[in-house]
Amino acid sequence: MGSEKIAVLGASGHVGRSITITAAGEGIALYEFSRKWNNFEDWPSYESDVIINCVGIGSPPAVRELGAGIFGLSDKLDNQILEYMHGRNILYIFISSGAVHYRNDPYAVSKRCAEMKHRSLPHLNIIDLRLYNYLTPYINLNDGYLITEIINSIIDKKPLLTDNIDIRRDFINRFDLWQAIKIFVAAPENGAYDLYSQAPVKKFELLDLCSKYFNLQWRIESEGISAPIDYVAKNFSLAKKGFRPCWTSLDCIWSVFDELIK
C-alpha cells in the first residue's frame, strides 16, 4: 500500500469500522465518512484515489423492515460514486454480498443489480467484494444473526433455541477482507470476487464446540425450512490474484469470542 488517498463511506458501520481499524493497525490512516458523524455529504470534496462503499443494511430484521426501500438506499449512492469517477483515475470497491448467489429477496437483488451495472462499465476500475458471514469484534450483537444469538446466549447464560437444519456457513475476518482490498489497490480492475475462509463450519459442529468450551446450552425447538442450507463461496478466482485466507471460520469465531466473551 503506497500513498493512496482512501475514503471509506459508511465508516461507522460494522464493515467500515473494521476496515479503518485494521488499516490503522498497519499505520494507514483512511478518510472516514458517516451519516452518524454528519460528514457523509462531504466525501465528494475529498479527492480520493480509492473509494470503499460500505454503506448498507445487513442485519436480517432491518433488511425485512426496509423491504423494497433498499433499492433506493443502494442505488442513489452507487450512482453518485459512478458519476464522480468519470474523468478520474479511481478505484471503487463495493462491498457486495454472497446473497447474490443464493437469494432473490430485495437485499440480494439490489446487490445483484449493482454488480450488473458495474460490469456494464468495463472501462472503470470497480471491484465488487462479496462477503458471506463477516465477523469481527465490532459486530452489533443485536443484529439477529445465528452467531450473535450464540454469543448472547453464552453471555446471558440462556439456552439457545434452534431448528433441526445443519446449515453450513463461511465466516470471514477483517484481516482477510483487508488483504483483498490491498490486492486491488495495488492492481485495479473491473470484476466481482467472492471472499472465503480456509474452511466453513456447520451449525451443529459449532454448537457442540460452544457447549464444550463455553458451556453453551442449546436445544432443537422446531423443524427448519432454512434456505440456503449452504451459504459459502462459489467462486474462488480471487486465489489467482494472490489471495490466501489466513484463518478458518472457526479461527475467526474463536478470535471474536475471545474479545466479546469474558
Side-chain angles (χ1 to χ4, degrees):
M1 189 83 67
S3 57
E4 295 86 2
K5 296 172 67 176
I6 302 175
V8 179
L9 310 188
S12 63
H14 179 205
V15 177
R17 184 183 177 201
S18 69
I19 289 173
T20 57
I21 290 174
T22 307
E26 295 186 2
I28 300 171
L30 308 186
Y31 290 81
E32 306 172 42
F33 298 92
S34 170
R35 291 187 176 89
K36 182 178 180 180
W37 303 327
N38 296 318
N39 73 341
F40 188 79
E41 302 303 326
D42 297 336
W43 72 262
S45 63
Y46 174 73
E47 288 297 325
S48 308
D49 301 309
V50 181
I51 296 175
I52 305 176
N53 180 4
C54 305
V55 174
I57 296 178
S59 69
V63 168
R64 288 193 294 268
E65 181 178 349
L66 189 60
I70 199 165
F71 290 101
L73 177 68
S74 175
D75 208 40
K76 180 180 178 180
L77 177 59
D78 190 61
N79 287 336
Q80 288 176 342
I81 296 171
L82 295 177
E83 182 177 353
Y84 179 84
M85 291 180 72
H86 286 288
R88 293 180 171 93
N89 184 23
I90 292 175
L91 169 63
Y92 173 24
I93 297 177
F94 176 75
I95 302 300
S96 189
S97 170
V100 301
H101 291 311
Y102 289 99
R103 292 164 23 198
N104 287 305
D105 55 85
Y107 174 79
V109 174
S110 71
K111 296 293 189 184
R112 197 175 299 134
C113 288
E115 290 194 15
M116 291 176 64
K117 187 198 311 179
H118 298 163
R119 299 296 80 73
S120 73
L121 300 167
H123 60 290
L124 297 179
N125 292 321
I126 308 173
I127 294 295
D128 301 318
L129 291 179
R130 300 177 185 132
L131 293 179
Y132 289 79
N133 295 270
Y134 187 62
L135 183 61
T136 80
Y138 317 112
I139 193 169
N140 185 339
L141 293 182
N142 295 316
D143 272 352
Y145 297 111
L146 171 63
I147 194 67
T148 58
E149 292 176 355
I150 291 173
I151 294 171
N152 286 326
S153 292
I154 294 172
I155 292 173
D156 298 336
K157 296 181 171 56
K158 293 182 179 179
L160 174 74
L161 307 180
T162 188
D163 61 38
N164 64 334
I165 304 297
D166 195 12
I167 60 177
R168 188 167 65 116
R169 296 293 184 262
D170 202 14
F171 289 88
I172 312 301
N173 67 62
R174 61 192 177 100
F175 301 104
D176 283 334
L177 172 57
W178 182 239
Q179 177 192 167
I181 289 171
K182 290 194 293 184
I183 285 172
F184 292 109
V185 170
E189 61 169 79
N190 187 298
Y193 295 89
D194 290 2
L195 279 172
Y196 48 90
S197 73
Q198 288 184 5
V201 63
K202 299 184 86 170
K203 180 175 76 174
F204 292 137
E205 174 191 6
L206 175 59
L207 294 181
D208 285 341
L209 288 170
C210 288
S211 295
K212 179 178 180 179
Y213 294 109
F214 297 98
N215 297 315
L216 172 69
Q217 302 298 312
W218 64 274
R219 66 175 183 269
I220 295 174
E221 184 186 48
S222 60
E223 295 285 328
I225 53 172
S226 178
I229 292 177
D230 282 344
Y231 191 53
V232 298
K234 287 191 171 185
N235 186 314
F236 298 90
S237 59
L238 191 53
K240 296 178 181 178
K241 304 295 178 180
F243 178 74
R244 299 291 184 271
C246 299
W247 295 350
T248 66
S249 292
L250 281 175
D251 292 334
C252 176
I253 292 168
W254 297 149
S255 70
V256 171
F257 278 22
D258 284 344
E259 296 203 37
L260 297 183
I261 299 174
K262 307 300 181 182

